[in-house]
Amino acid sequence: MSGKREQWASGHGFVLATIGAAVGLGNIWRFSYVAGENGGGAFLIIYLLCVVFVGASIVFAEMALGRQASGDAVAAFENSSPGSRWRYAGWVGVIGSFLILSYYSVIAGWALKYLVGGLTGILWLAAGEGFGGYFNRFISNPGEPVAWQMAMLAATMFVVAGGVQRGIEAINRILMPLLALFVVGLAAYAATLPGSGAGWRFLFVPDWSVLLQREVYIAALGQAFFSLGVGMAVFITYASYMTRETRIPLFGSAIIVGDTLFAIVAGLAIFPAVFAFGMNPEAGPQLAFITLPQMFLAMPGGEFVGPLFFALLVAAALTSMISLLEVPVASVVHRTRLNRWGATTVIGVAVFAVGIPSAMSFGLLSGIQISGRGLLDFIDQTVSNYVLPLAGILICVYVGWRWDRSTALSAADLAGKSVGLIWLWLLRLVAPAMILLILFDSTGAL
Ligand code: PHE
């Protein structure tokens, strides 16, 4: 263990870094394709309900857990329940974030390739063969996706090795405000396209019949967890670097509102354009990589808007990757003699190695199919829809029931506030019940 624990320079820096963790590929790439596949407006309503009634209370709980521990994710449980098996709940976060990072970095690598391709003009040359063919040729290449994945991981490792203040906080201070500007600008631009109204209607006018489909609920729950970044000890770890005077209710709300608004505005950048150019919103994970370049090519100014969009995707992905890497790195620094540089190198290389099969899952390893999905797709669906919600239940039970009421309320800066009781009961009953209901229902057990 190394001497004094690192801290954020300011509350402001902490909020930007946590929003950076929450806002990522989940808000742009994943939100647009999952909302597209699940009917748009009606999906958005269930998604918002999941954020408010399930995700939000767990964000506060993770922060409360992390700040009181001022240690890694495992210490968050160990310190308040020495010797108990609850420490394994901490390990779920450490291993889970490692796993997510392993395939997340692959998709981030795709975005980087498209950014570089858009800037150099190589991407637009692909118009001849069609962007579908181009994308498939790229992701089925045995080496290329691995190289781009490595580039994104190297950048992430560089920032994390720089430390909490000089690495993580510094980059988020620059990138997050830029990102907010970018996405609002793109949405405003998309609104000027003729025919864009259909995209707004797709996102805001619900087709109620969608509510009869049970897959929509699990998709919305998984998306809420993934997009908030909750359940993987990211907020536990980031909150462990908080100074005492910072206020959890205010900061937690900023993250929840920020993440949700970002997803909606990103949807307003994507769907109006998708409809304006007569594309299919149900294209699946390829939406951002096949449909959108086609659209950029067709729109006036697309050769600038395209790279801007992929820059947005890369920057958003990077700040989330940093948070995912920080969770296991914090544990290694806390538990071994390695310093931050050493821990970052060891974990970074291990993540890269574990991620290689995901990077190859559309090429050499495309033969491996689990319940009809390729490797990357399968891991993403399983982690988001099952592992994250189940880890969420552990946090709910620990903070809601294992801690007594006054400990929990004061750990979350909610003592003596009436919203404190609402939070506590969301955590104790509403959130676990909703998670279990949706999980059982989606497996057909109900
Ligand atoms: N929230 C991030 C995104 O939307 C992904 C993430 C998941 C980050 C889990 C941390 C933990 O892209």
Side-chain angles (χ1 to χ4, degrees):
M1 247 211 257
S2 49
K4 207 172 148 286
R5 197 170 164 76
E6 294 178 82
Q7 278 193 335
W8 303 107
S10 65
H12 176 73
F14 166 73
V15 173
L16 286 179
T18 31
I19 296 185
V23 170
L25 293 172
N27 302 61
I28 309 169
W29 161 74
R30 204 174 188 284
F31 176 80
S32 58
Y33 100 72
V34 176
E37 276 182 346
N38 288 284
F43 167 87
L44 183 62
I45 292 175
I46 310 174
Y47 167 75
L48 291 176
L49 291 176
C50 288
V51 168
V52 172
F53 289 104
V54 184
S57 57
I58 308 179
V59 170
F60 293 114
E62 274 202 25
M63 288 191 172
L65 256 170
R67 190 181 57 186
Q68 58 82 34
S70 77
D72 71 333
V74 181
F77 293 90
E78 239 168 24
N79 289 4
S80 44
S81 302
S84 92
R85 292 209 186 111
W86 276 103
R87 64 178 180 281
Y88 296 118
W91 286 113
V92 169
V94 175
I95 295 165
S97 44
F98 179 98
L99 249 185
I100 294 185
L101 184 57
S102 74
Y103 72 83
Y104 197 94
S105 54
V106 173
I107 298 154
W110 298 352
L112 183 61
K113 153 132 178 143
Y114 272 61
L115 168 60
V116 173
L119 287 174
T120 56
I122 292 175
L123 179 63
W124 313 123
L125 299 179
E129 73 174 300
F131 289 105
Y134 177 76
F135 179 69
N136 287 324
R137 204 155 50 74
F138 162 55
I139 59 173
S140 59
N141 180 298
E144 236 203 301
V146 180
W148 292 103
Q149 171 206 14
M150 190 161 77
M152 283 305 289
L153 269 175
T156 309
M157 287 162 68
F158 182 73
V159 176
V160 169
V164 171
Q165 279 188 18
R166 294 203 355 232
I168 303 177
E169 188 168 344
I171 194 162
N172 276 290
R173 263 175 197 278
I174 303 172
L175 286 184
M176 292 320 291
L178 271 181
L179 222 61
L181 253 156
F182 265 28
V183 74
V184 170
L186 275 179
Y189 180 76
T192 65
L193 296 170
S196 61
W200 283 68
R201 279 194 296 281
F202 180 73
L203 206 53
F204 292 133
V205 182
D207 162 8
W208 299 111
S209 68
V210 170
L211 297 182
L212 296 174
Q213 299 168 13
R214 47 165 46 131
E215 321 81 72
V216 174
Y217 295 84
I218 183 98
L221 182 73
Q223 178 58 23
F225 268 92
F226 188 88
S227 178
L228 286 170
V230 86
M232 285 296 106
V234 162
F235 298 122
I236 297 182
T237 308
Y238 272 18
S240 76
Y241 304 123
M242 254 172 140
T243 48
R244 184 57 228 185
E245 73 279 3
T246 42
R247 297 273 136 238
I248 287 179
L250 181 68
F251 292 172
S253 315
I255 290 156
I256 295 154
V257 172
D259 184 68
T260 308
L261 275 182
F262 200 98
I264 294 176
V265 179
L268 290 180
I270 294 172
F271 290 116
V274 165
F275 281 93
F277 290 95
M279 312 260 167
N280 180 6
E282 293 178 28
Q286 289 98 323
L287 184 69
F289 295 95
I290 297 180
T291 318
L292 296 182
Q294 225 142 26
M295 179 184 93
F296 295 137
L297 193 73
M299 68 171 40
E303 64 278 37
F304 299 107
V305 181
L308 205 61
F309 174 83
F310 287 109
L312 179 76
L313 207 56
V314 167
L318 183 65
T319 54
S320 296
M321 289 174 66
I322 290 167
S323 72
L324 287 164
L325 182 58
E326 179 61 20
V327 175
V329 164
S331 281
V332 171
V333 171
H334 190 83
R335 279 159 209 285
T336 71
R337 287 158 162 271
L338 287 180
N339 64 13
R340 182 169 269 280
W341 271 94
T344 306
T345 311
V346 170
I347 301 281
V349 170
V351 166
F352 173 62
V354 170
I356 289 176
S358 289
M360 295 185 156
S361 65
F362 303 90
L364 285 182
L365 301 181
S366 61
I368 304 180
Q369 297 272 328
I370 312 168
S371 5
R373 294 177 186 276
L375 205 54
L376 186 150
D377 202 8
F378 175 78
I379 303 177
D380 177 44
Q381 294 288 326
T382 313
V383 169
S384 307
N385 294 356
Y386 298 97
V387 179
L388 293 181
L390 289 173
I393 293 186
L394 291 178
I395 293 168
C396 289
V397 173
Y398 189 77
V399 175
W401 296 103
R402 169 105 188 181
W403 280 4
D404 61 52
R405 170 195 287 247
S406 63
T407 312
L409 288 173
S410 64
D413 302 328
L414 284 168
K417 300 194 174 128
S418 45
V419 285
L421 287 183
I422 301 179
W423 169 67
L424 206 57
W425 286 101
L426 282 173
L427 210 56
R428 286 180 167 183
L429 276 185
V430 180
M434 273 179 73
I435 295 172
L436 289 176
L437 198 74
I438 293 177
L439 288 185
F440 279 120
D441 183 55
S442 71
T443 53
L446 288 184

